[in-house]
């Protein structure tokens, strides 16, 4: 193994997105805490989630596409990409906690007699959780596994594409992403084809390819791309979008919002790693800490929400006291357990994983991607 790639600020993006998911899922479970949803109700009366959580997955995808593609390009330059080693690294990073938490969730659902479609379980075992998610046939506590499944499916073919594509790589990547976006919009408009549009929207391969396109341009040292990405006006617009998302106010066109967020994330990535006009620095100790354990934060929080709902949901407290107790407890315990998981369960696998790394990234060594 030779060389270490370190990009500043990327753990901050992971932390930003992961914490948003935890907050949103806590709000969606507000009934179990005998609280009003933090973000109000949808027109159909269901609890409204935090917009940043849904967009947080698009941020994760763009970041994943950027970092993995960049590392593969560096490996390709040093030597031919070792695809089996790539898969070993993915397995050692993703599978241990994935399957441990899945087994735990199934056990808890059985103990508490929570009904679920047993026919969906094989999809979770086979890393295809996006299929039951599409048809709303969830297994308790692991509905969010759909995004992990999407990434794993994407990386079944992506290293091969990077390895064997030598000409017009950027053109091909952007053409595929553009085609998927067009198809998503088209099937959204055509009657009776909404399920296809939803499938493309859930899979979001194009969001990862947007990040990958940014990685290709950055790897090639494209000065125009870097100049536009790090321009103060560009970054100001990006952070205005992020502020609107944080305030639950961002909306351009529902069919394209995730794609816009993926572009914005890619532009923020370039500014953070070049340290040019970044406006908000995401490179600090706390963000780095949360970024390191972000995979655990994302994976384990639903079970903690469930148990905390049983433990403190019945407390007769005023909302002004109960809200900070609930959200503080969920976040605090999720962070604590994620740290324990990372330190004592995940790290041994990470040490083995790094033996298969031709190009080591301080970012990939401490995150799910």
């Amino acid at each position: 193994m030779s060389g270490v790639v370190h990009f500043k600020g990327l753990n901050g993006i992971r932390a930003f997105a992961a914490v948003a998911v935890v907050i949103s899922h806590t709000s969606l479970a507000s009934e179990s805490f005998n609280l009003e949803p933090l973000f109000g109700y949808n027109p159909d009366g269901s609890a409204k989630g935090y917009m940043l959580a849904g967009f947080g997955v698009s941020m994760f995808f763009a970041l994943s596409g950027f970092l993995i593609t960049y590392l593969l390009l560096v490996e390709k330059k040093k030597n031919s990409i070792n695809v089996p080693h790539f898969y070993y690294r993915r397995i050692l990073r993703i599978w241990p906690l994935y399957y441990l938490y899945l087994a735990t969730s199934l056990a808890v659902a059985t103990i508490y007699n929570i009904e679920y479609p047993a026919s969906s379980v094989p999809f979770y075992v086979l890393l295809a959780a996006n299929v039951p998610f599409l048809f709303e046939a969830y297994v308790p506590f692991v509905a969010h596994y759909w995004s992990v499944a999407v990434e794993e499916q994407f990386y079944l073919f992506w290293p091969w594409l990077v390895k064997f594509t030598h000409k017009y790589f950027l053109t091909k990547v952007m053409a595929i992403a553009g085609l998927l976006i067009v198809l998503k919009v088209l099937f959204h408009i055509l009657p009776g084809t909404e399920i296809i549009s939803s499938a493309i929207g859930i899979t979001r391969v194009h969001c990862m390819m947007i990040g990958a396109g940014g990685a290709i341009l950055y790897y090639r040292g494209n000065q125009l791309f870097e100049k536009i990405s790090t321009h103060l006006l560009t970054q100001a617009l990006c952070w205005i979008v992020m502020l609107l998302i944080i305030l639950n106010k961002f909306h351009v066109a529902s069919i394209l919002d995730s794609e816009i967020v993926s572009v914005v994330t890619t532009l923020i990535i370039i500014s953070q790693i070049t340290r040019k006009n970044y406006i908000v620095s995401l490179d600090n100790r706390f963000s780095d800490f949360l970024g390191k354990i972000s995979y655990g934060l994302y994976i384990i929080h639903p079970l903690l929400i469930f148990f905390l709902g049983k433990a403190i949901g019945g407390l007769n407290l005023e909302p002004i006291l109960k809200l900070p107790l609930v959200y503080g407890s969920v976040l605090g315990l999720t962070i604590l357990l994620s740290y324990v998981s990372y330190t004592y369960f995940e790290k041994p696998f990470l040490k083995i994983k790094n033996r298969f790394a031709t190009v080591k990234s301080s970012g990939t060594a401490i995150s799910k991607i």
Side-chain angles (χ1 to χ4, degrees):
M1 181 177 69
S2 61
V4 177
V5 175
H6 175 66
F7 289 135
K8 292 186 175 182
L10 299 196
N11 271 334
I13 295 174
R14 294 186 187 99
F16 192 63
V19 169
V21 171
V22 176
I23 292 173
S24 180
H25 287 172
T26 306
S27 177
L28 292 175
S30 56
E31 186 176 343
S32 65
F33 293 102
N34 292 314
L35 285 171
E36 294 291 310
L38 187 62
F39 304 103
Y41 293 94
N42 293 308
D44 63 0
S46 61
K48 184 183 291 184
Y50 191 18
M51 191 177 287
L52 183 55
F55 291 137
V57 174
S58 296
M59 294 171 65
F60 271 129
F61 283 174
L63 176 57
S64 179
F66 178 91
L67 185 54
I68 293 295
T69 302
Y70 186 88
L71 293 174
L72 287 172
L73 289 171
V74 174
E75 182 177 351
K76 185 176 180 179
K77 184 177 181 180
K78 286 177 174 289
N79 204 345
S80 179
I81 295 173
N82 191 322
V83 178
H85 281 194
F86 175 86
Y87 292 142
Y88 297 154
R89 295 194 300 270
R90 295 296 301 180
I91 288 170
L92 288 164
R93 184 61 189 107
I94 301 300
W95 289 19
L97 184 58
Y98 179 99
Y99 286 111
L100 175 63
Y101 179 83
L102 175 60
T104 304
S105 297
L106 292 173
V108 171
T110 301
I111 292 169
Y112 284 89
N113 295 315
I114 301 173
E115 294 184 0
Y116 60 88
S119 59
S120 294
V121 174
F123 290 99
Y124 289 88
V125 174
L126 298 173
L127 297 165
N130 48 324
V131 177
F133 184 84
L134 178 63
F135 295 100
E136 299 185 357
Y138 316 122
V139 170
F141 315 121
V142 290
H144 61 310
Y145 266 26
W146 71 268
S147 65
V148 181
V150 165
E151 276 198 272
E152 294 306 277
Q153 292 160 25
F154 177 74
Y155 290 121
L156 281 176
F157 73 87
W158 189 247
W160 296 104
L161 187 63
V162 179
K163 180 182 176 75
F164 292 113
T165 304
H166 302 289
K167 291 184 178 181
Y168 310 113
F169 185 32
L170 179 63
T171 302
K172 293 173 182 176
V173 169
M174 290 297 96
I176 295 171
L179 177 61
L180 288 171
I181 293 171
V182 169
L183 289 174
K184 179 186 174 186
V185 174
L186 181 63
F187 287 123
H188 179 75
I189 296 171
L190 293 175
T193 59
E194 293 87 356
I195 190 68
I196 303 176
S197 178
S198 296
I200 296 173
I202 289 172
T203 304
R204 295 188 218 181
V205 167
H206 50 287
C207 291
M208 284 180 270
M209 286 189 164
I210 288 170
I216 296 167
L217 288 166
Y218 180 72
Y219 175 78
R220 292 177 177 175
N222 189 297
Q223 294 300 308
L224 178 61
F225 171 67
E226 184 174 323
K227 185 176 181 180
I228 293 173
S229 299
T230 60
H231 194 282
L232 186 59
L233 178 60
T234 302
Q235 288 301 307
L237 290 173
C238 287
W239 282 103
I240 288 173
V241 170
M242 294 307 300
L243 179 61
L244 290 173
I245 293 173
I246 291 170
L247 297 174
N248 251 27
K249 298 295 183 182
F250 175 72
H251 176 66
V252 176
S254 58
I255 195 66
L256 293 175
D257 283 347
S258 288
E259 289 73 16
I260 294 170
V261 170
S262 297
V263 172
V264 166
T265 302
T266 303
L267 296 173
I268 290 176
I269 288 171
I270 299 301
S271 180
Q272 291 291 319
I273 64 180
T274 60
R275 311 309 292 166
K276 295 178 182 178
N277 290 328
Y278 49 80
I279 299 181
V280 177
S281 177
L282 298 174
D283 182 39
N284 56 73
R285 286 187 177 183
F286 187 61
S287 293
D288 188 58
F289 167 72
L290 291 180
K292 287 179 179 180
I293 62 173
S294 60
Y295 182 45
L297 292 175
Y298 185 77
I299 290 294
I300 68 177
H301 71 274
L303 268 179
L304 287 175
I305 292 174
F306 173 74
F307 283 119
L308 283 169
K310 291 189 171 298
I312 63 178
L315 293 179
N316 188 20
L317 295 173
E318 291 296 319
I320 195 171
L321 297 175
K322 200 169 189 180
L323 275 171
L325 173 64
V326 167
Y327 285 88
S329 298
V330 171
L331 278 171
L333 286 176
T334 301
I335 290 171
L336 176 61
L337 189 55
S338 298
Y339 171 74
V340 171
S341 170
Y342 174 77
T343 303
Y344 299 105
F345 179 69
E346 299 166 57
K347 261 189 175 180
F349 295 102
L350 293 178
K351 290 178 180 179
I352 301 172
K353 165 185 173 285
N354 287 336
R355 298 175 189 173
F356 298 102
T358 303
V359 181
K360 183 180 178 182
S361 167
S362 58
T364 55
I366 54 180
S367 75
K368 76 167 184 171
I369 61 176

